[in-house]
Every structure is written in C-alpha cells, then in structure tokens.
Amino acid sequence: MDDKRKHDFSDTIAQSDMINDYTKGWLNAVSEAMKEFDSETAEKITMRAAHVCEKNWHDHMSEHGYDLNSHDLPSFVKSLNEHVKEQGPEGYARMEDKDSVIVVFKPGKCVCPLVVSGYMKPSFNLCSCPNRVFEITLEKVTLKNVKSECISSFAAGDDSCTFRARVL
C-alpha cells in the first residue's frame, strides 16, 4: 500500500461531519460493553476520564464564582447546598459525621454530558466516573485521600444519584 495516498477511509471520517456519528457509535459500543464488566473493571476504565470530567466541572464552577480550594469539608457541604438551592438540580449534601458526606441529586435524568449528548447510553458502570469526580473534588477540599461510593443512580433506575464519601 502506498502511504502517500491522499485520501482514505480514516481521512473521510476525521475530516467530515461523519466523525460525530462515528464517535457516538464507538462510545455507545464501549458503553454497552461496560455493562458486562464488574464495577472494579468499569472503575479502572473510567478513572482517567473522571479527571477530564472533574477538570471541566471545576472550571465550570470557577466561572460561576465557586472556589473549591477555599473550603474545608463542612463549608464545602454548606456551599454546595447553597449552589444547589440557587442553580439546581434538586438535591442536598449533608455531613454524616466529621469525616463523611452524603450527596443526593435529583435532576430527573442522567446528567452525564456523554449521555445527554447521545454519545453514550446510561449505564450504572458509567457512575464510577462521577463517583471518582466526587473523590477528586473532596481530595482538593480536604487535602486528604477520600473514598466514595455510588449508592444510587438514574442509570440504575433509581430516582436520585447518591454518593457517599469518607475522608481517610
């Protein structure tokens, strides 16, 4: 094959509107395959993606005057509740004890940007991504290691997305 050819399938896809359909199809296939994985394997897959999501979320919150780095855990919970009350979605955060937090959101649907945009279908395994985002966020707030778990999610058919985190 001639490596100097001017146009091939990959060029056609990459340089056209077809890339959106291609990406959607590819990510939906990954999403469907992830449903077959145990939660530990799914978490490994979404771990790196969570850092991208957390950065985008942190940037979005910063643009709206919300500084994650200016809080301790109780003030973070208070501030998060104020933000949710003003901006939505319905939900709350509360301290369970001095080292643990529970956050409940009730947006009425899965709010993963990849799901909302149609790039992926809802899957409980995708929830390991926002679960890790919650950990990363709280690690920035507390400057300590955090372990969190997804207790419920719209992707699993629940009426809320609920995360519990404990500072280690």
Side-chain angles (χ1 to χ4, degrees):
M1 258 192 193
D2 182 5
D3 286 340
K4 295 182 180 184
R5 61 182 174 232
K6 298 216 184 235
H7 200 69
D8 63 13
F9 174 73
S10 59
D11 291 329
T12 300
I13 296 294
Q15 297 172 7
S16 72
D17 291 338
M18 294 170 66
I19 191 63
N20 289 329
D21 290 336
Y22 180 86
T23 303
K24 258 185 199 177
W26 196 91
L27 288 172
N28 267 314
V30 170
S31 178
E32 289 301 311
M34 284 180 61
K35 289 178 182 178
E36 299 172 20
F37 299 151
D38 59 87
S39 59
E40 184 178 322
T41 303
E43 186 173 326
K44 287 178 184 175
I45 292 169
T46 58
M47 186 71 68
R48 291 183 187 201
H51 286 278
V52 173
C53 189
E54 188 277 334
K55 182 194 178 312
N56 288 314
W57 183 76
H58 191 152
D59 290 350
H60 170 78
M61 296 299 282
S62 294
E63 288 173 11
H64 290 87
Y66 194 84
D67 181 10
L68 295 174
N69 299 320
S70 66
H71 293 283
D72 60 10
L73 195 54
S75 71
F76 170 78
V77 168
K78 181 181 178 188
S79 182
L80 184 58
N81 280 321
E82 289 168 359
H83 178 78
V84 168
K85 186 176 180 180
E86 292 173 13
Q87 303 290 323
E90 180 185 342
Y92 63 89
R94 69 175 161 81
M95 299 288 298
E96 288 194 308
D97 59 44
K98 70 178 184 69
D99 291 322
S100 65
V101 177
I102 189 161
V103 176
V104 178
F105 292 109
K106 296 183 177 188
K109 64 178 182 176
C110 179
V111 294
C112 170
L114 293 172
V115 172
V116 171
S117 67
Y119 279 94
M120 295 183 91
K121 294 178 182 162
S123 163
F124 184 73
N125 283 340
L126 283 177
C127 298
S128 58
C129 183
N131 186 56
R132 181 63 183 136
V133 168
F134 189 38
E135 284 180 354
I136 295 167
T137 300
L138 292 181
E139 286 171 351
K140 287 182 176 183
V141 168
T142 64
L143 302 176
K144 297 179 180 177
N145 290 332
V146 172
K147 182 66 180 159
S148 70
E149 64 180 320
C150 179
I151 298 169
S152 68
S153 82
F154 281 100
D158 299 311
D159 69 347
S160 69
C161 295
T162 305
F163 300 92
R164 175 182 289 128
R166 174 164 294 286
V167 178
L168 304 176

